[in-house]
């Protein structure tokens, strides 16, 4: 075990990492591996914990890692507010959540993106820091590995002191023991993440403001909670963009092959298929008009269950027009290249109608 000297620890003596992700991309495992890396391979005191809701897949996930010298006590478990490294596992999180809050000039921001560091800074509206860009999704698909392994390689490069061989060792001890057949693929993805990351430093030039970190807390307490504990804000995902959960693949709908059996709608966990009154084989029927890619998380269960291959798996990067949500109807109508963008995202099966009824609208 090698004893490393941590660079630029904060005033409390800690080196801190925060991972921002969507459940299913492996940020929890990546954080756990970084935590074990610090303790078992870098000779440091190390702590790791994650934060996510009751259903992790498709929902926001945060992982926190703290390292400090072995003679320095490590007893806190509060969120990492000003990270030395911020890992953003999907660029679509930006703008929906304050994922870059707390970033300053010393932060290395590692982003899974196809964009350049300059474009990424503008997309994130980043105050300052060094931006590291890696196309983790493409590398993961090429190597048949996982996005989190590619991101770990890029994070090691961004740190400036984490040796790639240490990450490979921890991967062998974790992924290798549980999934030995996938070890070499994941090691390949990790190496490419380390080698292919691109970076550029940005100073605090006033282009974008600094965003301070704040924990999002429920504003209700014993003094102002609704009588009886009733929650008037019913749960609904009708406006949630689940496209960030996809990992390179999405279902493509071939309407000529569809027999309107409804198996896709039955098996879909997010009710993205829409059936409207129409005609099938000369008779009135509920006709499948396609799926709403705004809500599709790319699980491909519909592809597996379709009896006529009316749904097939496709590479998302080859169909950029399908990433547009149909709430931008006016914009899309003026763009000929985006004529076919799937079903209407605001009438996704029963979920939208139920919400309207609860609001006193649709009957």
């Amino acid at each position: 075990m090698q004893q490393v000297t941590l660079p630029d620890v904060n005033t409390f003596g800690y080196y801190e990492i925060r991972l921002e992700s969507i459940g299913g991309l492996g940020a929890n495992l990546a954080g756990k591996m970084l935590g074990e890396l610090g303790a078992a391979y870098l000779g440091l005191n190390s702590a790791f914990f994650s934060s996510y809701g009751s259903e992790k897949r498709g929902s926001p996930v945060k992982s926190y890692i703290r390292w400090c010298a072995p003679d320095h006590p490590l007893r806190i478990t509060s969120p990492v507010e000003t990270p030395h490294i911020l890992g953003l596992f999907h660029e679509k999180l930006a703008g929906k959540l304050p994922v870059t809050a707390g970033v300053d000039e010393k932060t290395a921001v590692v982003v899974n993106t196809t964009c350049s560091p300059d474009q990424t800074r503008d997309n994130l509206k980043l105050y300052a820091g060094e931006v590291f860009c890696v196309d983790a999704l493409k590398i993961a698909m090429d190597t048949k590995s996982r996005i989190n392994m590619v991101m770990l390689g890029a994070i090691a490069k961004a740190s400036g002191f984490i040796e790639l061989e240490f990450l490979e060792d921890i991967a062998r001890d974790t992924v290798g023991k549980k999934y030995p057949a996938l070890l070499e693929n994941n090691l390949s993805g990790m190496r490419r993440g380390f080698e292919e990351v691109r970076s550029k430093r940005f100073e605090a030039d006033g282009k974008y403001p600094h965003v301070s970190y704040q924990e999002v807390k429920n504003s209700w307490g014993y003094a102002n909670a609704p009588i009886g504990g009733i929650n008037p804000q019913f749960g609904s995902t009708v406006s949630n963009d689940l496209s960030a959960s996809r990992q390179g693949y999405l279902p493509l709908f071939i309407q000529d092959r569809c027999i309107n059996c409804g198996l896709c709608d039955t098996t879909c966990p997010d009710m993205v298929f829409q059936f409207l009154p129409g005609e099938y084989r000369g008779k009135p029927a509920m006709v499948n008009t396609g799926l709403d890619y705004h809500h599709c998380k790319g699980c491909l269960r519909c592809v597996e269950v379709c009896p006529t291959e009316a749904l097939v798996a496709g590479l998302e990067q080859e169909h950029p027009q399908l990433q547009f949500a149909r709430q931008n109807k006016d914009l899309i109508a003026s763009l000929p290249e985006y004529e076919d963008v799937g079903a209407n995202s605001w009438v996704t099966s029963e979920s939208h109608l139920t919400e309207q009824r609860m609001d006193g609208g649709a009957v």
Side-chain angles (χ1 to χ4, degrees), residues 116-164:
S116 67
D118 288 284
Q119 291 172 310
T120 300
R121 189 212 179 177
D122 290 335
N123 292 341
L124 299 180
K125 294 180 171 51
L126 202 63
Y127 166 68
E130 189 168 4
V131 176
F132 292 78
C133 297
V134 61
D135 193 349
L137 178 57
K138 183 179 185 301
I139 294 174
M141 293 173 67
D142 289 346
T143 58
K144 295 182 173 56
S145 61
R146 294 292 306 278
I147 287 176
N148 56 349
M149 296 296 114
V150 183
M151 289 294 290
L152 280 172
I155 287 170
K157 185 66 172 285
S159 73
F161 66 91
I162 300 175
E163 299 290 341
L164 183 59

Side-chain angles (χ1 to χ4, degrees), residues 52-238:
Y52 48 83
S54 57
E55 182 180 350
K56 185 168 63 171
R57 184 169 182 84
S59 60
V61 172
K62 296 177 184 288
S63 282
Y64 306 104
I65 303 95
R66 276 192 180 89
W67 294 332
C68 65
D71 58 350
H72 185 74
L74 177 51
R75 300 191 182 98
I76 62 171
T77 55
S78 59
V80 171
E81 298 185 9
T82 306
H84 292 82
I85 299 177
L86 172 68
L88 188 56
F89 278 51
H90 205 299
E91 59 186 333
K92 286 189 177 180
L93 285 166
K96 304 176 187 299
L97 299 168
V99 291
T100 61
V103 169
D104 62 16
E105 298 94 331
K106 296 181 180 180
T107 305
V109 183
V110 184
V111 189
N112 169 22
T113 179
T114 58
C115 298
S116 67
D118 288 284
Q119 291 172 310
T120 300
R121 189 212 179 177
D122 290 335
N123 292 341
L124 299 180
K125 294 180 171 51
L126 202 63
Y127 166 68
E130 189 168 4
V131 176
F132 292 78
C133 297
V134 61
D135 193 349
L137 178 57
K138 183 179 185 301
I139 294 174
M141 293 173 67
D142 289 346
T143 58
K144 295 182 173 56
S145 61
R146 294 292 306 278
I147 287 176
N148 56 349
M149 296 296 114
V150 183
M151 289 294 290
L152 280 172
I155 287 170
K157 185 66 172 285
S159 73
F161 66 91
I162 300 175
E163 299 290 341
L164 183 59
E165 61 182 285
F166 294 151
L167 267 183
E168 293 175 344
D169 288 342
I170 199 72
R172 292 186 182 96
D173 288 345
T174 53
V175 179
K177 289 182 178 178
K178 193 170 184 179
Y179 306 105
L182 301 177
L183 176 60
E184 285 307 317
N185 291 349
N186 284 308
L187 289 177
S188 177
M190 187 180 289
R191 293 177 191 126
R192 284 188 57 182
F194 186 90
E195 295 163 359
E196 297 180 24
V197 67
R198 300 158 292 156
S199 66
K200 184 175 180 180
R201 176 170 293 281
F202 298 94
E203 302 301 329
D205 53 10
K207 186 174 184 180
Y208 299 108
H210 179 263
V211 179
S212 299
Y213 186 88
Q214 288 185 336
E215 271 296 286
V216 178
K217 298 181 179 179
N218 196 320
S219 59
W220 287 341
Y222 75 93
N224 61 346
I227 295 175
I230 297 173
N231 183 359
Q233 298 176 349
F234 51 87
S236 173
T237 61
V238 70

